[in-house]
Amino acid sequence: MAKRQGPIISVFGGSRIAPGTEAYEAARRLGHLLARAGYIVCNGGYDGAMEATARGAKEAGGYTIGVTLRAFEPYAPNLFLDEEERAATLLARLERLTALGEGYVVLLGAIGTLLELALVWNLSVIGAAPGKPIVVVGAQWRRTLDAMRQHLLVRDVDLASLTLVETPDEAVAA
């Protein structure tokens, strides 16, 4: 078993991403690349992008942490975790994922992933997470952020807190 050493990257992504899909394989590659680069992969610990990043990290000999939620107890954490931290509430889970991460990578997801992005992004904008990079992966996020800038009060300086990339390779390089 790998040891827990190295900086922790919290990865956010959708639980509905199915094995064998392009999104799953991209998440798996991200986990693999992060582990090879010496990072510990941390995520929400369940299916989809969470499973894929943990799986990729484990396949590369890396260490993984899953922050799970007691309210989800009927659902088992994925099998690729070295360590599980169980949070009592969703807010406690978000706080732990945020606190553990020395940087963040955001993959394809749904409302939960948007919530995670909004949280770390806001913390960055207000100066509460200095030096913690936020890397957002995929054209879907670029379109989403463009729409937010057009329809909400999102400023260019707010967007400067994010690094937008297209691929897992670019995410790790960033």
Side-chain angles (χ1 to χ4, degrees), residues 14-27 47-49 51-52 55 108:
S15 63
R16 294 182 218 140
I17 293 172
T21 64
E22 184 178 328
Y24 186 94
E25 292 307 318
D47 296 334
E51 175 187 286
R55 181 178 180 182
L108 176 65

Side-chain angles (χ1 to χ4, degrees), residues 66-131:
V67 182
T68 60
L69 185 60
R70 286 192 186 130
F72 291 168
E73 279 186 357
Y75 300 102
N78 72 66
L79 301 175
F80 302 99
L81 300 177
D82 290 305
E83 183 178 330
E84 178 187 5
E85 292 194 19
R86 294 178 66 203
T89 67
L90 177 59
L91 293 178
R93 182 182 189 216
L94 292 169
E95 182 177 30
R96 193 66 185 136
L97 285 165
T98 302
L100 280 169
E102 296 172 54
Y104 312 101
V105 178
V106 183
L107 300 172
L108 176 65
I111 296 168
T113 308
L114 180 60
L115 172 63
E116 293 157 342
L117 170 59
L119 175 61
V120 296
W121 187 14
N122 196 340
L123 290 171
S124 178
V125 168
I126 66 171

Side-chain angles (χ1 to χ4, degrees), residues 18-70:
T21 64
E22 184 178 328
Y24 186 94
E25 292 307 318
R28 186 173 171 184
R29 177 159 178 75
L30 174 70
H32 183 90
L33 292 170
L34 286 170
R36 294 269 320 262
Y39 294 104
I40 293 169
V41 173
C42 178
N43 60 44
Y46 292 105
D47 296 334
M50 296 170 279
E51 175 187 286
T53 56
R55 181 178 180 182
K58 292 306 302 168
E59 290 169 347
Y63 193 88
T64 60
I65 303 168
V67 182
T68 60
L69 185 60
R70 286 192 186 130

Side-chain angles (χ1 to χ4, degrees), residues 136-170:
V136 184
V137 183
Q140 74 283 350
W141 282 115
R142 189 175 307 279
R143 292 188 302 272
T144 300
L145 293 167
D146 285 345
M148 290 174 77
R149 189 172 52 178
Q150 290 174 1
H151 302 289
L152 301 174
L153 303 175
V154 175
R155 306 166 299 171
D156 287 340
V157 68
D158 300 330
L159 292 170
S161 298
L162 306 175
T163 301
L164 290 111
V165 300
E166 297 299 320
T167 69
D169 297 74
E170 293 171 338

